[in-house]
Amino acid sequence: MSDTTRRIAGGAYATVDGLSLPLVGNPKYRPATVTRESLTGMDSVHGYSEKPQPGMIGFQCRDMLGVGIAAMQDWTNVTVELRLNNGKVVTGTGMWNTAAVEVNSADATFDLTFEGDNVVMEE
């Protein structure tokens, strides 16, 4: 019997509105949160500013038959799910594609990046 309790990286699966995509690699995510910037003056550090930052889910896919590249450019208000080998499930709802879809025809890969204000992670 195999014990996977120490597995922390490796394979992943990605879906957009339930459509499984041929995932090549580079899965990444950022839960919706804030960004902070230090505010300094000539005399000292005065504090910081805080702004909302959208959540993000991104990955690299393979251009294969049945994958509509042109339609991906128009993906908005979609649900994106990333299932990682460590058992985490990252889900974003109401997301939009922010990357221009450019296919590298040498290896048939392209990157997708989605942003939105609702990215959550199950651990």
Side-chain angles (χ1 to χ4, degrees):
M1 179 172 190
S2 116
D3 179 3
T4 60
T5 57
R6 295 186 55 143
R7 180 174 59 195
I8 59 173
Y13 300 91
T15 63
V16 175
D17 277 351
L19 172 67
S20 291
L21 297 174
L23 187 64
V24 174
N26 300 325
K28 54 191 172 193
Y29 63 93
R30 177 182 64 235
T33 185
V34 297
T35 60
R36 294 183 187 95
E37 180 181 340
S38 297
L39 300 175
T40 61
M42 303 273 299
D43 56 351
S44 67
V45 175
H46 296 162
Y48 63 91
S49 70
E50 185 174 278
K51 298 177 190 173
Q53 179 180 29
M56 181 272 302
I57 299 175
F59 39 81
Q60 186 177 58
C61 294
R62 179 107 38 219
D63 184 13
M64 299 173 64
L65 289 174
V67 176
I69 300 298
M72 291 179 184
Q73 192 65 48
D74 296 329
W75 276 347
T76 60
N77 199 27
V78 295
T79 298
V80 181
E81 186 176 89
L82 187 60
R83 293 184 169 272
L84 305 172
N85 243 5
N86 61 8
K88 292 182 180 182
V89 179
V90 182
T91 305
T93 55
M95 300 195 80
W96 50 90
N97 177 28
T98 62
V101 181
E102 297 179 4
V103 178
N104 177 345
S105 59
D107 62 0
T109 58
F110 61 94
D111 294 323
L112 287 174
T113 303
F114 295 91
E115 289 187 348
D117 59 357
N118 188 26
V119 175
V120 295
M121 180 176 44
E122 290 177 35
E123 296 190 52

